[in-house]
């Protein structure tokens, strides 16, 4: 029972070993992450189309719940750019932004996402996330970064604009250029330029000036806070809100409220597919960050328990006024670099954000939306990696097609269609590739027991013995391909008397492939040609032994390909090989 509890409650594991040193390191990391997270949470709520306090609420209970159920020592859970964009896209289709229905739909989306993730974790179905290939994820994140940055230009320019695709956004921005607010532009451009400089130039400057590594790092991470403070004071002191500069306005001065997601069947039906997409994308992003950071300290991440941890975090967001969350790359790296040793650092961060929600929210009344937009733009442009197109073009045209299609469809048709199409295309390309497996005719490398492709190496062959190395598992998609290949190779009048299928790379044979092998066996038997197998793996052989195939096989099953060569090849060739 204790071991089972520790499986589902990792806090019982690391909590037993918690000491003063870990407490100190976790507290320092929490201070740094809290400073970074306050402006980020406000900005990402803006991106999701929700009131700014929703970003803070989504960063308190979810972090606490992940600290209890999660396995990563450094992962920082909360609102992230891509999930915020997905939230805005999904909820915007069922409710109008700014209405109570919009907020309820966001809660429902978080609840559905959390429930789906918990179910995946309980039934250990984390492998389903593997259907999102890396090229698809890279293409989707790149396109999302472009969409997010474009969507924030309206706040930097001070105009009204709308749209969910790049074409709609750009068209809307161009049609509203006449309403640009010059003061807002100055604030937005200045904040953006400052944040870019902070990210790239402040830390080296401080180090040259003699600042310590920790002090320089904290100052760099506090850059967005400095932009928030300066621009807020400027708007307040100069009365810029009365001159058309959009500000955050009143933010409730309270802890996260208890909320209830919508339970109507129609709302759940409309949000179910987006919730699944958000869950899978968020999990893939989160687990990749968690495993990368854990590897640096030789720690272990349990993917199935991570599903439960992230699911609990999203359920917490659904009942405390938030919206879907996941592990953020930037925050997690900051948390790790700041010395976080346990998930308790996240709990301390949540406490810091709770204090901010109670005591600091009145101070952001005059915070310009342009500054929050600048924070988002600077954060998401680091996600844009168009070099993935060149890399995949050089390495794999199939992966390039998946990346290019995902980027193009995400930009032109929206995030949900883009990522769904990317997944479908990846699966179809995989099926196409495996439907035409690489099959090499092999021969004996002189002086060895090794067999290699006759088109690549100088090897011994025997015209009577055809050896085909199958470099793929055999299943319904490629079963007929193998049938046709053998049929084309063993034609009437050729010298082949034996066909050996070298199965060293075959990990499985499904029933469709078994029927194809039976057809090949009968066809070759009618031609007085023997069918043999070599180097069949144990699990595959165990499955074949449950059928009549081995009894009906008109040849033999050899332990190694060399045994097959020795038994079947002409003696002169064998003599040459021995030399």
């Amino acid at each position: 029972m204790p071991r089972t509890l520790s499986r589902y409650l990792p806090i019982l594991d690391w909590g037993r070993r918690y000491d003063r040193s870990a407490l100190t390191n976790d507290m320092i990391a929490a201070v740094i992450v809290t400073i970074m997270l306050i402006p980020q949470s406000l900005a990402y709520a803006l991106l999701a189309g929700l009131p700014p306090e929703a970003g803070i609420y989504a960063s308190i209970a979810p972090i606490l719940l992940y600290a209890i159920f999660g396995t990563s020592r450094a992962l920082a859970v909360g609102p992230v750019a891509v999930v915020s964009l997905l939230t805005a896209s999904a909820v915007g289709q069922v409710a109008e932004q700014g209405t109570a229905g919009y907020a309820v739909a966001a809660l429902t989306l978080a609840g559905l996402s959390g429930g789906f993730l918990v179910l995946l974790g309980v039934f250990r179905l984390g492998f389903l996330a593997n259907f999102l290939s890396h090229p698809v994820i890279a293409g989707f994140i790149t396109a999302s970064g472009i969409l997010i940055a474009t969507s924030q230009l309206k706040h930097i320019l001070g105009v009204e604009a709308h749209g969910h695709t790049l074409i709609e956004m750009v068209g809307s921005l161009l049609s509203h250029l006449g309403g640009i607010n010059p003061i807002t532009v100055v604030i937005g451009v200045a904040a953006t330029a400052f944040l870019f400089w902070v990210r790239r130039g402040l830390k080296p400057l401080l180090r040259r000036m003699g600042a310590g590594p920790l002090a320089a790092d904290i100052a760099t991470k506090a850059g967005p806070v400095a932009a928030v403070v300066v621009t807020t004071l400027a708007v307040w002191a100069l009365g810029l809100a009365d001159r058309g500069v959009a500000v955050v306005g009143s933010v409730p001065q309270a802890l996260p409220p208890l909320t209830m997601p919508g339970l109507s069947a129609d709302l759940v039906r409309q949000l179910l597919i987006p919730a699944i997409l958000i869950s899978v994308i968020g999990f893939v992003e989160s687990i990749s960050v968690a495993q990368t950071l854990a590897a640096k300290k030789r720690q272990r991440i349990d993917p199935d328990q991570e599903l439960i941890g992230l699911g609990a975090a999203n359920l917490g967001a659904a009942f405390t006024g938030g919206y879907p969350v996941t592990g953020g790359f930037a925050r997690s790296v900051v948390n790790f670099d700041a010395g976080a040793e346990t998930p308790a650092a996240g709990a301390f961060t949540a406490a810091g954000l709770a204090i901010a929600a109670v005591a600091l929210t009145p101070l952001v009344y005059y915070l310009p939306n342009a500054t929050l937009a600048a924070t988002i733009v600077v954060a998401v442009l680091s996600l844009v990696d168009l070099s993935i197109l060149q890399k995949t073009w050089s390495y794999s045209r199939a992966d390039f097609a998946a990346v290019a299609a995902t980027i193009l469809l995400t930009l032109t048709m929206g995030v949900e269609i883009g990522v769904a199409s990317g997944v479908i295309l990846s699966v179809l390309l995989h099926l196409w590739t495996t439907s035409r497996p690489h099959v090499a005719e092999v021969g004996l490398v002189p002086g060895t027991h090794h067999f290699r492709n006759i088109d690549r190496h100088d090897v011994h062959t025997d015209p009577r013995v055809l050896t085909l190395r199958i470099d793929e598992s055999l299943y319904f998609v490629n079963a007929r391909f193998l049938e046709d290949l053998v049929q084309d190779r063993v034609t009437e009048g050729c010298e082949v008397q034996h066909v050996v299928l070298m199965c060293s790379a075959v990990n499985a044979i499904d029933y469709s492939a078994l029927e194809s092998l039976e057809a090949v066996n009968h066809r070759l038997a009618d031609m007085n040609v023997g069918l043999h197998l070599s180097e069949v793996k144990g699990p595959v052989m165990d499955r074949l032994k449950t059928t009549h195939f081995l009894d009906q096989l008109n040849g033999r099953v050899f332990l190694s390909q060399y045994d097959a060569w020795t038994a079947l090849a002409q003696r002169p060739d064998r003599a040459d090989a021995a030399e």
Side-chain angles (χ1 to χ4, degrees), residues 144-205:
S144 297
I146 295 172
L147 285 178
I148 292 169
T150 305
S151 73
Q152 297 308 297
L153 291 179
K154 63 182 180 181
H155 298 295
I156 293 177
L157 298 176
V159 300
E160 291 293 331
H162 61 274
H164 295 292
T165 68
L166 186 63
I167 296 173
E168 292 174 350
M169 291 179 189
V170 172
S172 184
L173 284 171
L174 292 175
S175 67
H176 289 85
L177 285 180
I180 287 178
N181 185 301
I183 301 175
T184 301
V185 172
V186 171
I187 294 173
V189 172
T192 304
F194 171 75
L195 292 174
F196 270 119
W197 175 78
V198 165
R199 173 167 289 205
R200 299 189 178 185
L202 180 58
K203 188 172 183 178
L205 176 62

Side-chain angles (χ1 to χ4, degrees), residues 358-532:
V358 171
L360 301 181
T361 50
L363 302 179
V364 301
Y365 182 93
Y366 289 102
L367 171 59
N369 288 342
T371 301
L372 294 180
T375 301
I376 294 174
V377 169
V378 173
V380 301
L381 285 183
S382 63
L383 303 176
V384 176
D385 179 20
L386 293 176
S387 67
I388 189 69
L389 291 170
Q390 185 273 326
K391 293 175 183 175
T392 52
W393 176 264
S394 301
Y395 186 75
S396 169
R397 300 299 166 85
D399 285 337
F400 170 80
V403 172
T406 302
I407 292 176
L408 183 63
L409 291 172
T410 300
L411 292 177
T412 58
M413 304 193 67
V415 290
E416 293 173 9
I417 293 178
V419 71
S421 301
V423 172
I424 293 171
L425 182 59
S426 291
V427 173
L428 291 177
L429 287 172
H430 172 72
L431 292 176
W432 167 254
T433 302
T434 55
S435 71
R436 304 176 63 82
H438 181 259
V439 178
E441 183 177 348
V442 298
L444 178 66
V445 178
T448 73
H449 290 188
H450 300 295
F451 290 79
R452 292 292 184 269
N453 193 327
I454 64 172
D455 295 327
R456 294 175 179 269
H457 301 274
D458 183 15
V459 293
H460 287 300
T461 60
D462 184 333
R464 299 187 314 136
V465 180
L466 171 65
T467 298
L468 301 176
R469 189 189 67 216
I470 306 167
D471 293 335
E472 181 67 68
S473 292
L474 297 176
Y475 68 121
F476 65 95
V477 171
N478 58 26
R480 186 56 184 266
F481 176 81
L482 179 64
E483 242 185 284
D484 294 340
L485 180 70
V486 174
Q487 178 69 26
D488 292 341
R489 187 63 180 81
V490 184
T491 57
E492 186 177 351
C494 72
E495 299 182 57
V496 175
Q497 297 179 14
H498 302 280
V499 173
V500 183
L501 299 182
M502 185 175 174
C503 301
S504 53
V506 177
N507 295 316
I509 298 176
D510 76 355
Y511 192 77
S512 297
L514 176 65
E515 290 187 328
S516 288
L517 289 176
E518 290 174 343
V520 170
N521 182 54
H522 290 311
R523 193 171 297 146
L524 292 179
D526 292 340
M527 300 171 63
N528 294 319
V529 176
L531 176 64
H532 312 271

Side-chain angles (χ1 to χ4, degrees), residues 326 338 405:
T326 192

